[in-house]
Amino acid sequence: CYECGERVERDSAESGADPRALVDQAVALVAQSAPSGWTSVHGVFSMAGGEEIAKAVAVTPHNAVGFPVSARAAELIRRQREATVGPQGPWLRLLFDLDSSGEVKIAFDYGDQEIPADQLLPGEAYLRDFETYPRPDAGVWLLAHMGNQGQQSRSPAQARGDGGTRTEPRQSADEI
């Protein structure tokens, strides 16, 4: 099952690459590196601005084991990312789940929700990515991460105070 398949197919004609084949090849390479006896493999590729994090975990009957992702698999995913750039820019994370029957589920993350800390790149990487691939919008969390390394510049109390909280309800005669 491929999410965002329509976008992938449309963009692949322009790039000359087959994004589905690139992902399938990369997932197969990751699975080949998994410990024997795995029942499922879960992976994530986090990429932006020339930096990346690639992680994989194999679930076996006894435990879950992290294992390295090959440079070749990461290269295939890099090519897939370039081949599928659209109006939203490229994805920031590609996540996959593979079960032992060969069924693959792929999801693309464009940064709408905050990325987990162990998959988060430096703010400068996202900034470079946004400069290369301008986007119409970005999540507030990502803008903060790019602008000040995710640090709040004011306390929650200050944010509430600056938010224009009203103590009395506003009256309006012309609103529905």
Side-chain angles (χ1 to χ4, degrees), residues 14 20 31 45 75 82 97 106 138:
E14 298 169 10
R20 286 185 186 209
F45 294 89
E75 171 59 28
E82 289 295 318
D97 295 311
I106 305 294

Side-chain angles (χ1 to χ4, degrees), residues 83-150:
T84 58
V85 174
Q88 287 181 291
W91 50 261
L92 300 179
R93 290 188 312 153
L94 181 150
L95 301 98
F96 73 87
D97 295 311
L98 170 68
D99 67 24
S100 58
S101 73
E103 182 179 347
V104 180
K105 294 182 181 175
I106 305 294
F108 300 97
D109 178 2
Y110 289 84
D112 297 330
Q113 302 295 317
E114 192 166 351
I115 294 174
D118 67 329
Q119 301 168 14
L120 187 63
L121 299 167
E124 299 80 29
Y126 297 107
L127 188 57
R128 284 191 304 272
D129 209 58
F130 275 53
E131 289 169 351
T132 303
Y133 306 105
R135 297 159 171 87
D137 57 11
V140 173
W141 78 268
L142 186 53
L143 294 172
H145 183 66
M146 289 187 297
N148 61 3
Q149 293 73 42

Side-chain angles (χ1 to χ4, degrees), residues 19-174:
R20 286 185 186 209
L22 293 171
V23 171
D24 288 342
Q25 291 171 26
V27 169
L29 285 171
V30 171
Q32 288 173 4
S33 300
S36 61
W38 61 269
T39 56
S40 62
V41 174
H42 311 281
V44 62
F45 294 89
S46 184
M47 299 181 172
E51 297 191 36
E52 61 192 47
I53 295 171
K55 294 184 171 205
V57 174
V59 177
T60 69
H62 307 291
N63 59 6
V65 180
F67 63 95
V69 174
S70 72
R72 177 70 180 136
E75 171 59 28
L76 291 168
I77 296 300
R78 239 180 272 120
R79 288 178 47 206
Q80 190 280 347
R81 184 176 191 259
E82 289 295 318
T84 58
V85 174
Q88 287 181 291
W91 50 261
L92 300 179
R93 290 188 312 153
L94 181 150
L95 301 98
F96 73 87
D97 295 311
L98 170 68
D99 67 24
S100 58
S101 73
E103 182 179 347
V104 180
K105 294 182 181 175
I106 305 294
F108 300 97
D109 178 2
Y110 289 84
D112 297 330
Q113 302 295 317
E114 192 166 351
I115 294 174
D118 67 329
Q119 301 168 14
L120 187 63
L121 299 167
E124 299 80 29
Y126 297 107
L127 188 57
R128 284 191 304 272
D129 209 58
F130 275 53
E131 289 169 351
T132 303
Y133 306 105
R135 297 159 171 87
D137 57 11
V140 173
W141 78 268
L142 186 53
L143 294 172
H145 183 66
M146 289 187 297
N148 61 3
Q149 293 73 42
Q151 301 299 309
Q152 285 187 301
S153 59
R154 58 188 177 165
S155 71
Q158 288 171 319
R160 278 192 302 276
D162 294 344
T165 305
R166 296 178 184 270
T167 56
E168 298 178 21
R170 189 178 73 145
Q171 300 288 325
S172 177
D174 62 346

